Structure formats: C-alpha cells, structure tokens
Amino acid sequence: MGAYQTPRKMETIPLISTIAMTLGVFAFIFWFAQRATRNNHKQMQLLAAHFQLQAQKHKSFWQLPVLTGELEGFPIQIKVEPNAGSEANDMEVLLTVPPQQFNLIIRRKLRLGKQKTDVALMDNQVDDFYIFKTEYPDQTRRFLQDREIKAHLYEFRDKMLLGTSIRLQGDQMRYIMTFANVGDKKRPKIISTIELMVFLAGKLTS
C-alpha cells in the first residue's frame, strides 16, 4: 500500500490566505494614498483662497492644481510635483522679481552644530537663527541690513520649516518644501513663508 497523501484541496488554503493578505495590503496602500491626495487638494484650495489665486486643475485626481496669480504686483506660481530623488512630492513657490545682481539663500539655523554663514549682520536677533549663503556678501549684507527686513526675519524665525530655504537668483525667488502631512499646523507656516517672500521682493524694488 502507498503512503497516505493529504488531499490537494488543503494545499490551496495557505495560497488563498496569502493572496487575500496581499490584496488587503494593496487596498490599504491605495486607501491611504487616496486619503493623502484628497488632503493635499484641500490644502492647495485653502492656499488659493487665502491668496486669491487661480487654480489650474488637471484631469487626473492624482495631480494637484497649479496656483497662479499676482501678490503685490509680483507674478507667483505654486505647484506640487514628484521629487525625482525620492518618493515624496515637492511644493515649489516661484515668485518672479526684477533681475538682481546678487544671489541669496536664506536657511534656518539648526540648534546644534557649527554652521557656516557667508554674511553676518552683527545682530543676534538675526544671526542666531539664520544661515545666509551668497556669492556677493557685500551686496547681500547691504540688503539684509535694512531695519524692516531684520525685524521681519526675527518675527519669522520659528515659522521657517527645517530643511527648507528661500532662494533668490536672477529674476526668481524660490521656495521648495516636501509636501507631506500638510495640515492646520504646517499650512500657516507656508503662508508666512510666502508673505515673507513677497515682503522681500518689495524691498528689492524700493
């Protein structure tokens, strides 16, 4: 007599369980991505309403609208696109300004570690909170020494998100941040950043 063999029907049970579990994981990932995208649409709509910008919508639900308009006479564009170097999306705020003869990067200073800055204003209310990078330190220093600019930077010190920067190059002022987990706490900081950019743009022309 041959050895007893377990019916093949029993072998299919683990396979069915594996398939069901895999489908469940994919369903959860899809639900989570859909929920995050719906929230991102909401945040873009709130930004558009706050600054009274036009929203150029895409046909695909997964693509967020591009916001365009003018703030204090400066053309602005706000868009969210995939970051080629990661799985996250980046939001870019692009403000068009008159062409400048100097460049500038404004970054929030980390609390720990020594960080090199190209411009020191000899004002602790600014130097303790920011790193300034530029190829033209004299021109940049003259611009940043404006009393109103220093006051605005001091007021803004806790509103700039870590890892982000405001960049001035030629006729463009740009701000890029990872557009993830944006909600009622992060959105006001984005708004404050855009308002600071518009203020700085105004100072470039005064």
Side-chain angles (χ1 to χ4, degrees), residues 1 19 22-23 32-33 37 43 58 69 81 90 150 176 188 206:
M1 292 181 63
I19 293 174
T22 302
L23 291 175
F32 184 81
T37 303
Q43 299 305 323
H58 295 282
E81 293 184 335
D90 281 344
K150 290 196 291 185
I176 297 177
S206 62

Side-chain angles (χ1 to χ4, degrees), residues 27 29 31 49 51 88 105 112 115 123 152 154 180 196:
I29 292 172
W31 171 83
F51 290 110
I105 299 174
L112 299 175
Q115 299 147 76
D123 185 336
H152 272 71
Y154 179 71
L196 176 64

Side-chain angles (χ1 to χ4, degrees), residues 9 18 77 114 130:
K9 197 178 289 184
T18 301
Q77 175 182 271
K114 189 175 181 180
Y130 295 99

Side-chain angles (χ1 to χ4, degrees), residues 15-167:
L15 179 60
I16 293 173
S17 298
T18 301
I19 293 174
M21 187 177 296
T22 302
L23 291 175
V25 169
F26 278 113
F28 174 77
I29 292 172
F30 178 79
W31 171 83
F32 184 81
Q34 190 179 51
R35 181 171 175 266
T37 303
R38 194 172 287 119
N39 174 67
N40 288 342
H41 275 284
K42 174 187 173 184
Q43 299 305 323
M44 292 295 279
Q45 290 169 2
L46 290 171
L47 285 175
H50 182 88
F51 290 110
Q52 297 183 344
L53 301 176
Q54 298 295 319
Q56 301 174 4
K57 297 182 179 179
H58 295 282
K59 292 182 179 180
S60 171
F61 165 76
W62 303 103
Q63 288 183 287
L64 299 181
V66 177
L67 310 185
T68 58
E70 283 192 0
L71 296 179
E72 303 293 334
F74 299 104
I76 188 171
Q77 175 182 271
I78 303 174
K79 63 181 180 180
V80 176
E81 293 184 335
N83 184 324
S86 70
E87 297 180 358
N89 290 329
D90 281 344
M91 183 183 79
E92 178 192 66
V93 179
L94 179 61
L95 199 66
T96 301
V97 300
Q100 299 300 310
Q101 299 301 315
F102 70 99
N103 64 329
L104 171 63
I105 299 174
I106 302 175
R107 246 188 233 119
R108 182 176 166 186
K109 183 178 284 189
L110 301 175
R111 296 186 184 223
L112 299 175
K114 189 175 181 180
Q115 299 147 76
K116 183 181 178 182
T117 185
D118 292 335
V119 175
L121 302 181
M122 303 305 170
D123 185 336
N124 291 340
Q125 289 190 327
V126 178
D127 293 336
D128 287 352
F129 298 101
Y130 295 99
I131 299 270
F132 301 111
K133 307 299 288 184
T134 180
E135 296 172 305
Y136 305 90
D138 292 336
Q139 290 173 270
T140 300
R141 186 179 293 104
R142 283 196 296 271
F143 175 67
L144 294 173
Q145 283 287 8
D146 181 275
R147 186 175 61 182
E148 289 186 345
I149 290 179
K150 290 196 291 185
H152 272 71
L153 288 173
Y154 179 71
E155 183 181 343
F156 180 70
R157 66 195 183 281
D158 293 324
K159 298 174 184 176
M160 176 174 269
L161 296 168
L162 287 173
T164 66
S165 60
I166 295 173
R167 296 170 176 258

